[in-house]
Amino acid sequence: MKKLKLIGDSILAYMPKARLKGIEERHAIENAETALLRHLYPQYKDSPADINIFCLGINDYFRQYYDEDFPKMTTEEIIKGLTEFIAEIKADNNGELVVLSLLPIRQTMPWSTHYPKINKEIPVVNAGLSDFCAQNGISFVDTHSHFVNEDGVMREDLSDDGIHPNYEKGYKVLTRLINDEIQKIEQSEYTNTNER
């Protein structure tokens, strides 16, 4: 069974255990933004893993709305921060690397007026991540297209709060997408071994 290192924010932190095909080591923190996880990364980067699963980014947007000391970041700066962190993980050559796209969000509270603006930027971040991964031989999983509705926001049947997948359906979809990618990596390794 593969050893999986999960690196990210609450999307991975809240994921029910024992759904992924592998032994999990989690470094996923609620409300974590890129700078925080990058700061903590040296503490666990040498821990061996067959596959690193990375899901992060939305808190880089959220934090600047409720924390006046947090730097205001443009979408380009967010993409740069994410890709630099992904490059750092890749350079450590500690197993395969799988990057998940940012999920869409949906405004569920009257005070969350910034959600529509953020939601329009998420596809731009995802395109930047996808391009970076393609150029650097990193697996990229488009989770966004499975969670977005025709209005461009998080599907109601997959998320109760408009941000996180729900346990009834949402996390089933997300874990299936990750498990499919794990299976692709395993099949590729099997093929490469048998071709030698």
Side-chain angles (χ1 to χ4, degrees):
M1 207 173 234
K2 297 281 186 197
K3 182 170 180 190
L4 311 175
K5 189 187 297 182
L6 280 60
I7 303 169
D9 55 20
S10 56
I11 300 293
L12 292 180
Y14 296 166
M15 180 180 287
K17 294 191 177 184
R19 285 198 180 171
L20 294 178
K21 294 179 181 174
I23 300 164
E24 296 178 27
E25 175 185 320
R26 291 193 188 201
H27 302 281
I29 303 169
E30 184 178 7
N31 296 324
E33 75 283 345
T34 305
L36 173 62
L37 272 196
R38 210 166 168 195
H39 173 73
L40 297 174
Y41 178 63
Q43 298 174 21
Y44 60 85
K45 75 174 189 173
D46 294 327
S47 173
D50 298 305
I51 303 173
N52 296 279
I53 299 168
F54 183 89
C55 177
L56 186 63
I58 201 69
N59 290 311
D60 290 331
Y61 281 112
F62 283 150
R63 184 86 181 266
Q64 55 192 324
Y65 284 99
Y66 65 82
D67 183 347
E68 62 186 32
D69 295 325
F70 191 76
K72 306 301 181 237
M73 299 171 70
T74 65
T75 296
E76 292 73 24
E77 290 169 329
I78 289 172
I79 294 169
K80 184 175 186 289
L82 287 166
T83 54
E84 285 175 353
F85 188 17
I86 292 166
E88 187 176 346
I89 297 168
K90 169 96 171 147
D92 290 330
N93 197 25
N94 188 356
E96 296 289 328
L97 178 54
V98 174
V99 174
L100 308 182
S101 68
L102 277 66
L103 295 177
I105 58 176
R106 182 182 75 252
Q107 185 174 354
T108 56
M109 301 292 183
W111 50 262
S112 53
T113 56
H114 52 280
Y115 280 30
K117 180 178 184 246
I118 294 171
N119 212 37
K120 288 180 182 172
E121 296 301 319
I122 289 172
V124 179
V125 175
N126 286 338
L129 292 177
S130 177
D131 290 346
F132 179 82
C133 289
Q135 293 165 11
N136 291 278
I138 298 168
S139 298
F140 179 78
V141 179
D142 172 21
T143 57
H144 185 273
S145 65
H146 296 268
F147 283 82
V148 71
N149 69 13
E150 62 279 354
D151 296 322
V153 300
M154 173 71 88
R155 287 172 44 183
E156 289 186 26
D157 63 321
L158 298 181
S159 174
D160 299 330
D161 66 2
I163 299 172
H164 305 94
N166 59 31
Y167 291 103
E168 300 79 37
K169 292 183 178 179
Y171 272 115
K172 288 179 182 175
V173 172
L174 189 62
T175 53
R176 178 181 50 80
L177 293 169
I178 296 171
N179 284 331
D180 287 351
E181 195 62 32
I182 292 169
Q183 187 172 358
K184 285 180 195 174
I185 290 169
E186 289 175 337
Q187 287 174 341
S188 176
E189 289 172 352
Y190 177 80
T191 303
N192 291 339
T193 302
N194 287 333
E195 287 179 353
R196 292 179 191 166

